[in-house]
Structures are given as structure tokens and as C-alpha cells.
Amino acid sequence: MIYAMGRQNFLPEVFARTNKHGQPILPNILILVISILFIMMQTIRSFFDLMAFACALCYAISTISSMVLAQKHPEWPRPFELPWGKVMRWLSLGVAVVIAVFCTIGITPMTWYGFSGYIGIGLLLWGYMVLFRWRTEKVWMKTPDGDKEF
């Protein structure tokens, strides 16, 4: 995902560079460093608590994106449509939020500090892209309507 974001200009171009075998260089190194940092945490439980929280949060964000896309572009083909689509989207969002809240119960303050650092790195990257890269180069993505630049 990090490699694809580099290719489509969501992240700096360095994230899209590959080695002679076609493997992304910086994304793989970044994942290795993050994994080592999480392993060095006080307990492995902290790692799993934080990962469960992050997964629930990502699922909630994905559900919100699905809801917005369904409303903005009802004409786009969807390969799979749930029965009672609107109700199921709201139900899945509720479940994801409840899971995220319950995951926070076991997370220690030290783990929150680590998570804050991780979010801080993301904010720095986003700031760099807003202030420097996106002024000259547009983000592009494939949609059912074709390639789009933003």
C-alpha cells in the first residue's frame, strides 16, 4: 500500500522506487523498522492492543469512505452489493467504533506515546506533501470513470 501511494503521488516518489527484483525498497525498510520498534515495546500485549485498535479504526474509516462513495457515485459498478446496503454500512461502522473503543481500554500510556509518534511521522509526511509536492504535481488514481487527477 505504501508503494502504491508513492506511485500515485500520495507519498514522496522515493516510496515508489524498487530494487532489481521489483520489490519496493523504502516501504520494506520502513515496515521492518516499525516492526522492530513495536517488538521492542514493553510487552507484546501492547503491540496487539495497538494493532487491534488501528485495524478497527481503519475499518471504520473504510466504511465511512464506502458510504461517501455510494452516495456521491451511485452509478459506479460495485462487484458485490450487500442486502440492505445502507443498514449494513451503518451497522459495520457501529461495530468498528465499538471495537475501537473497547480496544483502548487495555492500551497503556506508554503505548499511546508510541502511537502518537507514529501519527506524528504521518503528519510530517502529509505536511511535506501539502506544502511542497502537491503544489507542482497532482495526485492521480484510477476510478470507474477513468484516471483522475486531484
Side-chain angles (χ1 to χ4, degrees):
M1 186 170 166
I2 296 170
Y3 167 72
M5 290 175 76
R7 276 189 29 217
Q8 294 179 311
N9 206 27
F10 283 97
L11 288 174
E13 185 181 351
V14 69
F15 286 93
R17 294 188 187 142
T18 59
N19 63 17
K20 65 181 180 179
H21 304 290
Q23 296 295 312
I25 299 168
L26 188 59
N28 285 345
I29 292 170
L30 186 62
I31 296 298
L32 174 66
V33 169
I34 289 170
S35 298
I36 289 170
L37 290 174
F38 275 123
I39 289 171
M40 290 172 29
M41 290 178 130
Q42 292 176 348
T43 65
I44 197 69
R45 182 174 173 243
S46 298
F47 171 77
F48 289 120
D49 288 342
L50 197 52
M51 293 313 303
F53 171 73
C55 287
L57 197 59
C58 287
Y59 191 81
I61 292 169
S62 297
T63 302
I64 291 168
S65 296
S66 167
M67 295 165 89
V68 169
L69 277 176
Q71 192 169 16
K72 279 188 172 181
H73 297 285
E75 75 280 3
W76 282 2
R78 287 170 176 73
F80 179 75
E81 187 67 37
L82 287 171
W84 310 302
K86 217 176 217 183
V87 173
M88 293 302 285
R89 285 186 192 104
W90 281 104
L91 182 63
S92 69
L93 178 60
V95 168
V97 169
V98 167
I99 290 172
V101 168
F102 278 113
C103 287
T104 63
I105 293 171
I107 298 177
T108 63
M110 186 59 89
T111 306
W112 281 117
Y113 297 142
F115 185 67
S116 299
Y118 186 69
I119 295 298
I121 291 170
L123 288 173
L124 287 173
L125 270 173
W126 175 76
Y128 167 77
M129 296 302 288
V130 167
L131 294 174
F132 301 106
R133 287 292 300 271
W134 292 338
R135 288 181 183 213
T136 58
E137 298 177 37
K138 298 291 183 190
V139 172
W140 67 271
M141 63 179 64
K142 293 179 186 266
T143 69
D145 291 337
D147 288 354
K148 297 221 176 197
E149 284 189 359
F150 299 94

